[in-house]
Amino acid sequence: MSDSIKHECGIAFIRLLKPLSFYQKKYGTALYGLNKLYLLMEKQHNRGQDGAGIATIKLDVKPGNRYISRYRAMGSGAVAEIFEYVQRKFADVQARTPELLNDADWLKENISFTGEVLLGHLRYGTHGKNSIENCHPFLRQNNWMTRNLVIAGNFNMTNVDELLEQLYELGQHPKEKADTVTVLEKIGHFLDTENQEQFDRFKAEGYSNVEITHKIAEHMDVANILRRSAKTWDGGYTIAGILGHGDAFVMRDPAGIRPAYYYYDDEIVVVTSERPAIQTAFNIPFELVSEIKPGHALIVKKNGTISEEQFCEPLAQKSCSFERIYFSRGSDAAIYRERKQLGRLVCRQILEEVNYDLQNTVFSYIPNTAEVAFYGMVEGLHKYIKNYQKETLLKRADKISDEELERVLSLAPRVEKIAIKDVKLRTFITQDADRQDMVSHVYDTTYGLIRRGMDTLVVLDDSIVRGTTLKQSILRILDRLGPKKIVIVSSAPQIRYPDCYGIDMSRMGEFVAFEAAISLLKEREMENVIFEAYDNCKRTQDLDKELIANYVQAIYEPFTDEEISDRITQIITPKDITAEVKVIYQTLNNLHKACPGHSGDWYFSGNYPTPGGNKVVNRAFMNWMEGKNQRAYV
């Protein structure tokens, strides 16, 4: 993606189903769980630019001994910092009494982080300050073991104000206005309620307080806690939690917006945000890794019982298609196939734009994240060529000449690596004019592949959001090669609407497609459409979110996709380049064909999977109209 969009968060959960001594004997280390947690987190490091954190819980610890450990760190190197911190604890043992590293029971009793339940989190902050206090996992502590709660998640709630009001009505006073706090306190409240109900029940049956503590742990109804907690949530989420005594859960929103994959056997339960992390860390085949169903929670009881239970009514599944296009690693077999298909499906538009002239067209891609879609595009070009050769050779009534036969059989797409990013170059200069010149040198180009004034250069991108990088650097870089025409192709459709479910993309002014539509409305003296949309947003902002429609869709309705693409071309094309420029976008229908299991397309269509999404997009538009450069959600 030539325009950077910040990633969402990621989780890694592990429950060891055997005693630590089992892993010591079988795998040669009692740190098996910690080692695997490190692998899972590093394999999802693409989701952790701002920070990371881990927490572990030891099972069946005697009173008076610490059983919850947590450590968090800031920055892109947070995962390494965390595990270096943990490793030092064991390095001290190695230096003094190395034989104790083989004593799993001693390690559990004396060294922190040697627990059977482990939770890791990789953070990109979509709102709020980037500080240790904002890093997951979060703790809600209590002297009663069964009232302790640890949570971490990949989520964003659209109705934080409503959820805060509900907490006030319960008598709570949250310390800040953030969805992490409201989620923690909402689950914590119903965890307290469950504890009290269980306590009253067993007290009435004549059990002592000590006996009741064990009874509560045994009979804790985790699914019921989650049902009560999530009843009014509106958002996209995968939330993992551990209760102090050892019960654990990972819950997924009812529309399946955010991803959650799991695997378990008789030794381990593992859940992550990305499937390949599990496959790599545990050498598990693709077909054995499952997805948590929307509106369900994977629940692991302290006794090792595993179940997937519904906590709310599932909605029509709208799993995020942007996960497939860009955010998740392409090493997932299904994602790899889908990205290739995106490249194949955009071939027809490309061929039409270059007038099927493959001899005078060079194909490339930028940046590296577009590589898989590029492979698919090349396969599509080869398929076209085979059909062309078949039609030419089989349907000729007259005899074909040797020269023409050679030309037809030798036809092939001219595929080249045109741009290579110079990872050493940093644009440290802050003055705009100087910095723009520096940005234009971030990519090195391969000279001599383009015939000046003769060739068309087609460059595939995985998506185009703002278009600023294209305008400020990439188009100028490509123009230096001397093509007569540059065709920029996005394997994703036009991004028109903000996200509100965990990806930092919430300001209308950030989208070049929106800028194009506004420009066209003004040019055609249709500003009334803009003001009517604003009036509708303003008029309905205080209604219940279930009664609100997406009024921003009216901004795009007067225009075809091609009209908006053409205006985008004008917006992003620098005045001082020689080549003709054209921008092509994937169609929405083709996106659905390529990613049939992930129909969450609100970025492109404006069809939000929850009512809160409509409220957020309207707020984003009002912010733009009122000149407020701020997120449309808390």
Side-chain angles (χ1 to χ4, degrees):
M1 184 180 295
S2 53
D3 294 315
S4 176
I5 290 181
K6 302 303 183 183
H7 290 243
E8 54 191 90
C9 300
I11 62 163
F13 166 81
I14 292 175
R15 168 62 200 277
L16 302 176
L17 297 175
K18 306 282 188 182
L20 295 183
S21 56
F22 170 87
Y23 306 94
Q24 172 70 54
K25 183 176 180 180
K26 182 171 181 177
Y27 299 105
T29 176
L31 309 184
Y32 176 80
L34 281 170
N35 292 339
K36 294 299 186 183
L37 185 66
Y38 171 70
L39 277 175
L40 294 176
M41 293 178 71
E42 281 292 10
K43 292 300 179 183
Q44 299 179 100
H45 200 165
N46 51 304
R47 295 172 179 264
Q49 293 83 10
D50 287 343
I54 67 169
T56 66
I57 285 184
K58 301 176 181 181
L59 302 180
D60 300 316
V61 172
K62 295 177 182 178
N65 293 317
R66 183 174 177 175
Y67 58 95
I68 301 178
S69 301
R70 178 182 65 160
Y71 190 76
R72 300 173 292 177
M74 291 295 299
S76 59
V79 175
E81 180 181 335
I82 288 167
F83 284 92
E84 285 171 7
Y85 169 83
V86 173
Q87 182 61 34
R88 284 197 294 271
K89 297 178 179 296
F90 300 98
D92 290 342
V93 178
Q94 175 75 40
R96 296 173 185 173
T97 49
E99 66 278 4
L100 289 177
L101 279 180
N102 297 321
D103 189 337
D105 294 334
W106 184 89
L107 290 173
K108 178 176 176 178
E109 187 173 342
N110 293 277
I111 307 295
S112 55
F113 296 100
T114 49
E116 294 92 341
V117 195
L118 307 93
L119 179 59
H121 184 263
L122 299 125
R123 180 179 189 269
Y124 172 73
T126 55
H127 62 80
K129 296 178 181 178
N130 292 328
S131 66
I132 287 292
E133 287 71 26
N134 294 110
C135 283
H136 305 206
F138 289 91
L139 299 182
R140 191 176 190 267
Q141 295 181 291
N142 194 285
N143 276 341
W144 280 49
M145 182 178 280
T146 53
R147 289 178 186 252
N148 279 280
L149 175 64
V150 182
I151 70 161
N154 170 15
F155 64 94
N156 197 77
M157 301 299 173
T158 69
N159 61 332
V160 174
D161 289 340
E162 178 186 346
L163 298 176
L164 276 172
E165 187 62 37
Q166 291 168 2
L167 291 176
Y168 299 150
E169 291 171 0
L170 292 172
Q172 294 191 19
H173 190 86
K175 61 183 180 180
E176 63 178 299
K177 184 179 179 180
D179 55 2
T180 48
V181 173
T182 56
V183 166
L184 179 69
E185 294 303 331
K186 199 72 180 287
I187 297 175
H189 170 76
F190 287 108
L191 175 61
D192 289 343
T193 302
E194 175 74 12
N195 269 272
Q196 191 61 52
E197 290 173 354
Q198 295 278 12
F199 180 89
D200 294 342
R201 167 192 165 191
F202 291 118
K203 193 70 173 178
E205 294 177 10
Y207 290 98
S208 69
N209 286 353
V210 173
E211 291 172 325
I212 289 174
T213 297
H214 296 292
K215 285 286 186 181
I216 291 174
E218 181 182 351
H219 293 277
M220 182 76 69
D221 190 343
V222 177
N224 189 46
I225 294 170
L226 301 181
R227 287 187 198 102
R228 290 168 151 183
S229 302
K231 188 173 293 185
T232 56
W233 290 355
D234 186 292
Y237 53 86
T238 295
I239 300 173
I242 312 173
L243 310 187
H245 64 284
D247 283 1
F249 63 86
V250 182
M251 59 194 304
R252 190 179 183 197
D253 66 83
I257 295 170
R258 298 274 71 93
Y261 297 91
Y262 71 93
Y263 166 81
Y264 67 87
D265 54 27
D266 62 343
E267 294 182 10
I268 196 164
V269 183
V270 56
V271 185
T272 58
S273 295
E274 298 192 28
R275 175 166 39 204
I278 299 176
Q279 292 182 251
T280 300
F282 294 93
N283 193 27
I284 301 299
F286 177 95
E287 61 272 12
L288 293 185
V289 181
S290 304
E291 280 194 78
I292 296 176
K293 293 191 289 289
H296 287 66
L298 187 72
I299 296 173
V300 187
K301 295 289 291 179
K302 176 182 175 292
N303 63 9
T305 302
I306 303 160
S307 61
E308 189 175 0
E309 300 189 40
Q310 183 176 314
F311 65 87
C312 67
E313 191 66 32
L315 304 173
Q317 186 161 348
K318 296 291 181 180
S319 301
C320 173
S321 55
F322 231 140
E323 287 278 349
R324 323 300 283 183
I325 297 167
Y326 181 67
F327 288 111
S328 293
R329 291 192 180 193
S331 52
D332 184 298
I335 292 174
Y336 185 85
R337 288 193 295 268
E338 290 166 7
R339 289 181 181 175
K340 286 187 74 175
Q341 181 71 340
L342 285 167
R344 289 190 198 98
L345 291 174
V346 81
C347 265
R348 182 188 59 79
Q349 293 166 262
I350 296 171
L351 288 166
E352 289 176 356
E353 185 60 37
V354 302
N355 199 27
Y356 297 88
D357 182 6
L358 297 183
Q359 291 180 323
N360 297 300
T361 303
V362 174
F363 299 90
S364 192
Y365 63 91
I366 188 170
N368 288 340
T369 50
E371 184 176 13
V372 176
F374 180 73
Y375 291 153
M377 183 195 72
V378 173
E379 287 184 4
L381 294 173
H382 280 293
K383 183 177 180 180
Y384 161 75
I385 290 170
K386 286 180 180 178
N387 287 335
Y388 169 77
Q389 290 168 333
K390 181 180 177 181
E391 292 288 317
T392 302
L393 298 177
L394 293 182
K395 294 191 176 181
R396 284 285 294 259
D398 56 332
K399 183 182 178 184
I400 190 169
S401 68
D402 291 344
E403 183 180 350
E404 188 176 358
L405 179 63
E406 178 63 26
R407 182 188 64 79
V408 171
L409 292 179
S410 63
L411 187 62
R414 294 170 60 194
V415 174
E416 305 290 356
K417 180 75 170 176
I418 292 293
I420 304 101
K421 194 164 189 177
D422 188 344
V423 295
K424 302 182 295 301
L425 192 61
R426 296 289 182 268
T427 54
F428 59 89
I429 296 173
T430 57
Q431 291 179 336
D432 288 345
D434 292 336
R435 188 176 187 278
Q436 184 167 319
D437 179 65
M438 288 292 288
V439 168
S440 69
H441 296 284
V442 168
Y443 284 91
D444 287 331
T445 52
T446 308
Y447 291 95
L449 301 176
I450 304 293
R451 295 174 299 180
R452 273 186 186 274
M454 294 178 59
D455 288 335
T456 294
L457 175 57
V458 174
V459 177
L460 185 72
D461 197 345
D462 45 20
S463 58
I464 302 168
V465 188
R466 303 171 183 88
T468 51
T469 308
L470 284 166
K471 184 172 185 176
Q472 293 174 4
S473 63
I474 291 175
L475 284 172
R476 284 191 170 91
I477 291 168
L478 299 178
D479 189 55
R480 292 201 294 257
L481 301 174
K484 68 175 183 181
K485 184 175 182 179
I486 300 170
V487 181
I488 301 294
V489 183
S490 171
S491 67
Q494 296 167 2
I495 299 172
R496 298 180 170 189
Y497 303 95
D499 184 58
C500 53
Y501 302 119
I503 296 170
D504 188 16
M505 193 169 65
S506 64
R507 299 174 180 88
M508 291 302 303
E510 294 179 339
F511 309 123
V512 69
F514 177 73
E515 183 183 351
I518 293 294
S519 171
L520 287 169
L521 288 171
K522 291 180 177 179
E523 179 181 272
R524 300 181 187 183
E525 298 182 351
M526 298 172 65
E527 288 96 334
N528 62 300
V529 173
I530 302 172
F531 294 112
E532 286 174 10
Y534 177 71
D535 289 342
N536 285 330
C537 293
K538 197 82 173 172
R539 175 177 51 81
T540 60
Q541 65 178 325
D542 294 324
L543 297 178
D544 289 342
K545 60 184 182 297
E546 288 77 12
L547 302 176
I548 296 176
N550 178 357
Y551 298 110
V552 184
Q553 287 175 314
I555 298 295
Y556 299 97
E557 283 173 359
F559 313 113
T560 65
D561 292 351
E562 289 72 22
E563 286 177 300
I564 292 176
S565 293
D566 289 343
R567 181 49 55 94
I568 290 171
T569 299
Q570 295 176 22
I571 291 170
I572 70 167
T573 302
K575 291 183 172 58
D576 57 348
I577 73 170
T578 304
E580 177 190 351
V581 176
K582 175 70 175 181
V583 177
I584 295 174
Y585 283 90
Q586 183 74 265
T587 67
L588 199 55
N589 285 339
N590 280 345
L591 172 68
H592 294 158
K593 289 177 184 176
C595 308
H598 291 73
S599 57
D601 63 0
W602 55 93
Y603 314 91
F604 318 111
S605 69
N607 298 325
Y608 287 87
T610 74
N614 291 334
K615 192 162 189 173
V616 168
V617 67
N618 292 344
R619 166 50 60 192
F621 180 65
M622 287 190 289
N623 287 345
W624 178 80
M625 287 287 288
E626 295 164 8
K628 298 177 181 176
N629 185 27
Q630 62 190 45
R631 290 183 176 90
Y633 55 84
V634 176

